[in-house]
Amino acid sequence: IYSETTNVVATSWFTNGYGHAQMPADGMKMIWPITATETGSPIRVNNTIAWWLGPDLCDTNEQFSVYGNSLSPYGETTHAYIDGYGWITNVWGNNQKATFEVPDNLSNGTYTVYAHNGLGGKYGWGEGHEITIAPLIDYSLHTRNVTSNSFTSLRDELYAAVPGTTVNVPAGTYEFTTDLHSLVGNNGVYAFGSGIGTNIWIKGAGTNLTIFTPATNYVKDAYGNGALLDCTSQHNSGHTFTSTGLKISGVTWSRGDGTSMPKNLVTLNGYNCRIENCEFTDDDLPLGNRGSGLASILSINGNAGNPIWVEDCYFVQASLIYAGTHVQYKRNKHYGKNDILGKTISLTGSIHSDFSDNFATAVDPDILDLSCQGRFFVLQHHLGYYFYIGNNSTLDYKPHPLSIGWLNGGNQNAGEQILMEKTHPDFYATAISATSNKLTATEFAGYSDERLAITIVNGRGFGQTRPVQSFNQGTATVIENWSVIPDSTSDFCLHATGWRIAVVDNYLDGIDSGQNSASCAVSMYGGPSETLVVGNTAHEVEDGFTCWAFTSRKDKNSPYLANAAYFDLFENNTVINPSVYWNPVKKEYENAQGYYISQIGFIPQYTPVKSVCATIFRGNTVTNARVGMAIYNSGTDFSAEMNIFELNTGTATNKWATDDGINTYTNGNDITVLY
């Protein structure tokens, strides 16, 4: 904790335990650091923390949610005040998500919503977030009917549709000879003639009745792309393809054998679009394309104030799904087919997105060609923040044991069911100066890619992470003000990472011991900060919940750098019967661990080296583990500092293992040793 006026850290509360005194069971508190010479500013405890709101476009018969922390710290109702309307209360919620009905009498317009958990009076408010109330799109203004089971008839009706049209597509198989595409958005230029316009509903007769698939004579577009529906910027024409108000329902999208269309089924970069009650299948895709970068089963990306909804869909997939920003992804079922499927859903820069109530399993985990890698949600080498993964479940979700040697040469690196991974930052550097929402550094000169975040790793403002909003002539503007403004003593890393993510109430199921395939319920493998992992259950996975700082080189000429992970919380999770793995090289059992911090890599060429700091494991349980809790170093000089293990319970052969951990605090843990 830093003083506002000096670069002084008050660390005595870690050694003396003052910061861990039991708070009263209710109420909001304020704490502040005191040193021999300075007193810092108050910090609120148990106040409402409102990170974001979504969806931020609703009608009066819909719902929206506020996301963050302490929304209902003791099970109380979460309240919201709509500026210009008044109070409403949530209809569902937990401590990280509170869902509200839009009032029937709320007029159309844009409002600011403030959440309050009932504690702290005027000091307990969360930040305000905007919501736009607008009527649902009316697709009943016009009707067009596809009159024959041919791609030509389908295409002609869609391209002739005007806004507000439902295009009814009867049962039948429609063999696409080229892609369907949307209007070009740049300067109104039409690169390919007519396209699917605004506010169109493609209404099939139902899955397995209306089927879209490539023909044997499918021809890619002039720029070498292959898709059935392309509403994105993937065309290399210099124009951006998007759709506004496109709705799709009751259609099976099938790649067939995929030989003539090896890239995508549907790519949708749109505004206020919906995909509902559809099926996607690419299980006959040739082996060489399965899971590769050339193939996806679905790619979606919404926009601020205009999200994309994907709901109640069914996937039998050999290729992954790309999910970008502003997505509402709910009640979808996934059946992984073929073990080269490395990720079920790749979170390619997820922001303001909700992934809830989804399900995943392998078509048959006992048959190699019908198995999968067991990775459900993966944020890998992308910036992602303000998104929620909640109430999802898996069944027998692990790689087939034979695939480990086949795919990875014996490497157990597969099967992390929720994975957030970044193995190196772009660089470490020292700030020249900073203001409330900016940071200037020599190394920023020439940077223009905003898909990165800044983490302060030493000096004033240590521990803070902020995503970059823009770069301009050596100065980065961040999306949210610094809590403590950095200065010329502040060292930082620039990286693609996760920030302020909530992983809540998921049930993540593996396979029992002896399968020799790696798995982890939730693995934060280098970099995520201020992430909440709360109320999840891990059943028969090899490791339960882990937080890593991975150190590596960006290239062979760069130094080893740690991708820092700060202020993460693992609370009220459960690990049941973690599975052991027999390592034939070491001739010993490994894994079967409940909760641990680990650092892996090499001796750094940059100091200081705090890599995992202020991570909290609190109130978790574990049963029948080989190791209950641990902090590992792997022989590096990177340090795990000021981490907390408290009030954890369960049974394990070894309840605590550590070869690292500076100022580690343990309190009230009760793990029974198994003999």
Side-chain angles (χ1 to χ4, degrees):
I1 302 173
Y2 276 78
S3 163
E4 289 278 350
T5 56
T6 66
N7 185 22
V8 175
V9 188
T11 58
S12 62
W13 66 283
F14 279 97
T15 55
N16 296 329
Y18 300 136
H20 304 282
Q22 291 295 110
M23 293 284 187
D26 57 4
M28 195 198 82
K29 310 298 175 189
M30 292 188 180
I31 62 173
W32 54 92
I34 301 174
T35 69
T37 58
E38 300 288 344
T39 299
S41 298
I43 298 170
R44 295 179 295 170
V45 178
N46 294 337
N47 63 292
T48 307
I49 299 172
W51 283 345
W52 64 284
L53 178 152
D56 51 4
L57 176 66
C58 290
D59 191 10
T60 53
N61 63 351
E62 295 187 301
Q63 296 180 334
F64 69 92
S65 298
V66 175
Y67 302 82
N69 199 18
S70 293
L71 296 174
S72 180
Y74 305 114
E76 297 90 346
T77 298
T78 305
H79 310 274
Y81 186 83
I82 302 177
D83 198 14
Y85 175 82
W87 288 97
I88 58 175
T89 56
N90 68 311
V91 296
W92 180 92
N94 56 41
N95 210 22
Q96 289 75 41
K97 176 181 176 181
T99 299
F100 301 85
E101 298 275 2
V102 177
D104 290 339
N105 58 346
L106 184 60
S107 301
N108 295 338
T110 298
Y111 300 87
T112 302
V113 178
Y114 300 89
H116 200 295
N117 64 17
L119 304 176
K122 66 180 181 179
Y123 298 105
W125 289 99
E127 294 294 323
H129 299 281
E130 285 192 348
I131 186 171
T132 297
I133 306 302
L136 291 173
I137 296 168
D138 187 355
Y139 298 102
S140 66
L141 301 178
H142 310 278
T143 301
R144 301 191 72 92
N145 299 302
V146 177
T147 56
S148 67
N149 296 141
S150 71
F151 174 67
T152 300
S153 178
L154 171 67
R155 180 193 60 198
D156 290 348
E157 294 298 333
L158 289 173
Y159 285 179
V162 297
T165 297
T166 295
V167 180
N168 294 304
V169 188
T173 299
Y174 298 80
E175 295 186 349
F176 284 44
T177 55
T178 187
D179 70 323
L180 294 173
H181 53 266
S182 56
L183 296 176
V184 179
N186 288 3
N187 302 318
V189 177
Y190 294 78
F192 300 100
S194 298
I196 299 171
T198 300
N199 299 355
I200 304 297
W201 183 0
I202 304 174
K203 187 178 182 181
T207 56
N208 296 314
L209 295 174
T210 300
I211 301 171
F212 294 169
T213 191
T216 55
N217 62 339
Y218 178 93
V219 177
K220 300 176 186 178
D221 66 38
Y223 299 94
N225 297 284
L228 296 184
L229 176 65
D230 196 334
C231 303
T232 185
S233 57
Q234 289 190 356
H235 280 279
N236 297 322
S237 60
H239 304 287
T240 299
F241 282 66
T242 61
S243 274
T244 298
L246 176 63
K247 181 178 179 179
I248 307 168
S249 68
V251 175
T252 289
W253 302 79
S254 172
R255 204 188 303 265
D257 66 10
T259 54
S260 56
M261 189 208 68
K263 195 166 187 180
N264 305 302
L265 281 174
V266 174
T267 59
L268 178 56
N269 178 9
Y271 298 82
N272 193 16
C273 297
R274 296 174 185 264
I275 301 175
E276 301 173 351
N277 298 296
C278 285
E279 179 181 3
F280 294 82
T281 175
D282 64 355
D283 56 317
D284 291 325
L285 188 67
L287 184 64
N289 289 319
R290 287 174 168 171
S292 73
L294 294 177
S296 70
I297 195 168
L298 174 67
S299 179
I300 49 176
N301 190 77
N303 292 270
N306 286 273
I308 284 181
W309 286 260
V310 179
E311 298 179 318
D312 302 300
C313 291
Y314 183 97
F315 297 85
V316 181
Q317 58 188 110
S319 297
L320 53 77
I321 295 166
Y322 290 112
T325 71
H326 301 89
V327 169
Q328 294 284 312
Y329 192 92
K330 299 177 180 179
R331 301 181 304 279
N332 302 293
K333 292 182 170 59
H334 303 266
Y335 296 85
K337 188 169 182 180
N338 190 274
D339 206 75
I340 297 180
L341 175 60
K343 312 169 191 175
T344 302
I345 302 173
S346 179
L347 306 177
T348 53
S350 290
I351 302 169
H352 288 199
S353 296
D354 186 328
F355 303 89
S356 293
D357 304 301
N358 303 287
F359 171 77
T361 190
V363 172
D364 188 338
D366 295 325
I367 302 174
L368 183 60
D369 287 343
L370 303 180
S371 184
C372 59
Q373 282 282 18
R375 288 176 170 173
F376 195 1
F377 296 99
V378 179
L379 177 71
Q380 192 171 44
H381 308 309
H382 283 89
L383 172 66
Y385 58 92
Y386 292 157
F387 65 86
Y388 180 90
I389 300 175
N391 297 94
N392 303 285
S393 62
T394 62
L395 175 66
D396 293 341
Y397 214 51
K398 267 185 148 180
H400 190 284
L402 293 180
S403 72
I404 299 301
W406 175 37
L407 291 176
N408 297 319
N411 180 8
Q412 299 295 307
N413 186 19
E416 304 93 332
Q417 297 199 17
I418 298 178
L419 173 64
M420 302 172 198
E421 179 180 59
K422 175 63 176 175
T423 54
H424 57 258
D426 275 32
F427 57 78
Y428 275 39
T430 301
I432 296 174
S433 62
T435 63
S436 61
N437 68 337
K438 298 181 187 299
L439 190 143
T440 299
T442 303
E443 291 76 8
F444 287 156
Y447 261 80
S448 60
D449 187 349
E450 292 83 24
R451 294 172 296 180
L452 295 164
I454 297 169
T455 296
I456 309 300
V457 298
N458 188 53
R460 184 174 174 83
F462 167 76
Q464 298 176 100
T465 295
R466 295 291 186 271
V468 175
Q469 184 177 77
S470 63
F471 288 102
N472 183 24
Q473 297 181 346
T475 295
T477 300
V478 295
I479 68 166
E480 182 177 307
N481 285 356
W482 303 106
S483 298
V484 175
I485 299 174
D487 61 16
S488 59
T489 69
S490 303
D491 301 319
F492 68 92
C493 67
L494 184 71
H495 54 160
T497 188
W499 181 67
R500 295 189 178 175
I501 300 163
V503 179
V504 182
D505 293 340
N506 301 282
Y507 184 88
L508 305 169
D509 182 57
I511 302 176
D512 62 3
S513 296
Q515 296 297 303
N516 289 356
S517 55
S519 183
C520 182
V522 179
S523 177
M524 297 198 294
Y525 195 69
S529 292
E530 298 184 47
T531 294
L532 307 174
V533 182
V534 179
N536 304 281
T537 298
H539 178 251
E540 293 182 342
V541 299
E542 290 187 4
D543 291 328
F545 299 86
T546 67
C547 184
W548 295 71
F550 189 94
T551 64
S552 66
R553 289 176 170 175
K554 184 177 180 182
D555 57 59
K556 66 180 182 180
N557 297 316
S558 64
Y560 290 104
L561 305 173
N563 213 45
Y566 298 150
F567 299 106
D568 295 308
L569 173 68
F570 296 79
E571 187 171 56
N572 297 334
N573 301 289
T574 300
V575 177
I576 303 171
N577 297 335
S579 301
V580 295
Y581 158 62
W582 175 255
N583 187 318
V585 177
K586 296 181 179 179
K587 299 188 184 306
E588 63 184 24
Y589 285 107
E590 295 183 332
N591 297 356
Q593 301 181 103
Y595 308 87
Y596 70 85
I597 292 169
S598 187
Q599 301 164 104
I600 188 170
F602 301 90
I603 296 174
Q605 298 177 21
Y606 182 89
T607 56
V609 288
K610 299 179 183 69
S611 55
V612 182
C613 184
T615 293
I616 300 173
F617 291 84
R618 176 189 294 131
N620 304 288
T621 63
V622 60
T623 59
N624 301 324
R626 188 177 64 88
V627 177
M629 305 179 298
I631 298 180
Y632 299 122
N633 188 300
S634 300
T636 74
D637 282 350
F638 292 100
S639 64
E641 298 195 23
M642 300 190 300
N643 297 291
I644 299 168
F645 292 80
E646 63 180 3
L647 307 177
N648 302 290
T649 61
T651 58
T653 304
N654 183 355
K655 64 181 181 180
W656 176 254
T658 181
D659 59 10
D660 191 26
I662 300 172
N663 291 324
T664 298
Y665 182 86
T666 61
N667 174 56
N669 300 297
D670 185 13
I671 296 181
T672 302
V673 176
L674 299 172
Y675 295 97

